[in-house]
Amino acid sequence: MALIAGLHAWEALDSRGTPTVGCVVRLADGSEGEAIVPSGASTGTHEAHERRDGGERYGGKGVAGAVGSVLAEIAPAIVGLDAADQALVDTTMRELDGTANLSRLGANAVLAASVATALAAARSQRLPLWQALCPDLPPLLPLPMVNVVSGGAHAGGLIDVQDFLVVPVGASSFSEAIEWASRVRAATAEVLRERGHDTSLVADEGGLAAPLPSNRAALDVLLAGIQRSGLEPGVEAAIAVDIAATQFLADGAYVLASENRSLRAQELVDEIAAWVADYPIVSVEDALGEDDDAGWRYASDRLAPIVQLLGDDLFVTSPPRLEAGIRGGIANAVLVKPNQVGTLTDAWRVVEIARAAGYATVLSARSGETEDSWLADLAVGWRTGQVKVGSTTRSERTAKWNRLLRIEAEEPGAAFAGAAVLAPLASHDSPTHLHPGGQK
Ligand code: 2PG
Ligand code: MG
């Protein structure tokens, strides 16, 4: 038994300079775990509530109230509990909050305590977090999805699509995957410079933020970067996109401002299908708005048989929203962001639900991140198979890559997920999976 003896919390800063909650959990045996929570910019409406103070401080974005909740309410409720019983700690906090979306205490307060508890429990067992999370299964190093060109809410809306990422599908180890991704980023920057763009400015996740004329132009630049890097497109290095379509949905129309076009859902999906035909795209995230059920139905029929169709704002790491999507045959993969749901227990539940249904899982950082690296341990211990962290530059991003590189170096027996984890390929392994395309 590793009993929780005390908590402390404070207002920290994330990589955008916005306040966020830091928390340390101390156990009776002297072990400690410390966590700082991340924060999104292109957030889904159905995410758990990120509690902010309003008022003058930090332009209203202070989190003194959430910090106060940790000290005054969460601490007395969980002191004395066994830190190794994560489900009990998380349920206790959820019941204490009493709302469905953690709006009273704040999901930022609850997640900070949840992750700090997991880290303290692992420390007390003298285990790395990944091993404490999944003691019975061998670790799995994830296939990384690495941001190269940024648009949308992370780059001042220069282009509409939010992320153009490289997926090193032909790499045979995690470290090789990172080296290839870094090579593609450097080569893409070179291509941009040759085409007259400034590459000194980067977006929130360290991606190149060039004022390109269209979304297709970004795909062209990334493909040229892959070719310039000497890697074979589609075989060694493929492309993933996060459309983040909720961000440019206005009054029922998808407004591609950079191209001066306004599309209906079906037209947007047809456009994306044309990109998938023309470029080595293996994964498409948030192709439609978060509540566009008819659009998602069409996208699932059209795209899910040929590409990984990934729900982020759509599923918001919510067990019931993912279950509803699985029942309806919507998408074939889920992005997992612990702060969208507020506790590690619920985020893990989403991984389990996805796995049972043959949906692929991609653990993801947020655009507002911190120097913490616990996300890397979750990816390995939960065996999510894929991870999305941002660029290979900027310390809040490299903190996660570096942690994964260390785990690989220290665990030579750890398998590397490789491209087989991408849906819809991955789903063929699962006997329980009803492929969306097969339900027509
Ligand atoms: C996303 C994430 C990370 P944000 O949309 O997938 O890229 O962005 O954290 O702003 O929601
Ligand atoms: Mg997204």
Side-chain angles (χ1 to χ4, degrees), residues 263-276:
L263 306 180
R264 289 185 318 233
Q266 213 157 310
E267 292 170 322
L268 177 61
V269 173
D270 291 344
E271 174 89 17
I272 295 168
W275 296 348
V276 171

Side-chain angles (χ1 to χ4, degrees), residues 42 162-163 242 244 285-286 312-313 335 337 364 388:
S42 68
Q162 181 180 285
D163 301 334
D242 180 1
E285 178 179 335
D286 279 354
D312 170 15
D313 293 351
L335 203 76
K337 292 168 164 171
S364 173
K388 175 181 158 188

Side-chain angles (χ1 to χ4, degrees), residues 81-400:
L81 299 185
D82 180 4
D85 192 344
Q86 185 78 39
L88 175 65
V89 172
D90 288 345
T91 309
T92 302
M93 290 192 286
R94 200 168 266 293
E95 282 170 4
L96 175 70
D97 176 88
T99 69
N101 66 349
L102 299 177
S103 56
R104 200 178 70 76
L105 300 171
N108 39 357
V110 173
L111 186 71
S114 181
V115 178
T117 298
L119 286 160
R123 183 67 57 84
S124 145
Q125 296 170 69
R126 303 212 185 315
L127 292 174
L129 178 61
W130 65 260
Q131 204 172 348
L133 289 170
C134 209
D136 302 328
L137 285 170
L140 182 67
L141 289 155
L143 177 69
M145 237 180 221
V146 181
N147 186 307
V148 180
V149 178
S150 295
H154 301 168
L158 287 173
I159 36 178
D160 313 286
V161 170
Q162 181 180 285
D163 301 334
F164 297 85
L165 311 103
V166 63
V167 189
V169 286
S172 53
S173 65
F174 180 76
S175 45
E176 186 171 53
I178 289 298
E179 195 269 319
W180 287 7
S182 156
R183 210 197 294 178
V184 169
R185 186 188 197 281
T188 307
E190 224 174 87
V191 169
L192 278 170
R193 276 194 293 276
E194 278 171 16
R195 297 183 185 182
H197 294 293
D198 183 359
T199 55
S200 57
L201 299 175
V202 296
D204 284 1
E205 300 190 4
L208 299 160
L212 294 162
S214 68
N215 297 290
R216 228 173 221 278
L219 288 166
D220 280 334
V221 162
L222 179 51
L223 178 58
I226 292 172
Q227 285 160 337
R228 172 76 58 96
S229 76
L231 295 167
E232 194 177 339
V235 175
E236 293 177 308
I239 293 176
V241 285
D242 180 1
I243 310 288
T246 305
Q247 295 293 310
F248 55 82
L249 175 59
D251 298 328
Y254 292 95
V255 182
L256 298 180
S258 72
E259 303 179 16
N260 227 335
R261 292 161 74 203
S262 177
L263 306 180
R264 289 185 318 233
Q266 213 157 310
E267 292 170 322
L268 177 61
V269 173
D270 291 344
E271 174 89 17
I272 295 168
W275 296 348
V276 171
D278 294 344
Y279 299 91
I281 294 176
V282 291
S283 181
V284 176
E285 178 179 335
D286 279 354
L288 280 314
E290 59 198 355
D291 290 317
D292 185 348
D293 295 345
W296 272 104
R297 170 81 269 148
Y298 181 71
S300 301
D301 289 343
R302 184 97 212 263
L303 298 174
I306 52 170
V307 84
Q308 173 165 279
L309 188 58
L310 182 55
D312 170 15
D313 293 351
L314 172 68
F315 295 138
V316 289
T317 318
S318 150
R321 279 186 74 89
L322 176 60
E323 277 165 342
I326 290 168
R327 274 196 303 277
I330 299 301
N332 58 20
V334 57
L335 203 76
V336 181
K337 292 168 164 171
N339 86 321
Q340 282 181 328
V341 67
T343 70
L344 284 185
T345 301
D346 288 301
W348 166 239
R349 177 95 195 98
V350 162
V351 174
E352 286 184 311
I353 293 167
R355 194 163 287 159
Y359 275 42
T361 50
V362 184
L363 192 72
S364 173
R366 300 305 308 241
S367 50
E369 264 300 331
T370 79
E371 61 273 29
D372 275 8
S373 63
W374 45 265
L375 193 86
D377 284 68
L378 298 191
V380 172
W382 286 354
R383 299 171 57 89
T384 59
Q386 297 176 64
V387 72
K388 175 181 158 188
V389 160
S391 166
T392 44
T393 68
R394 299 182 38 143
S395 305
E396 78 279 5
R397 313 289 148 191
T398 55
K400 283 72 166 172

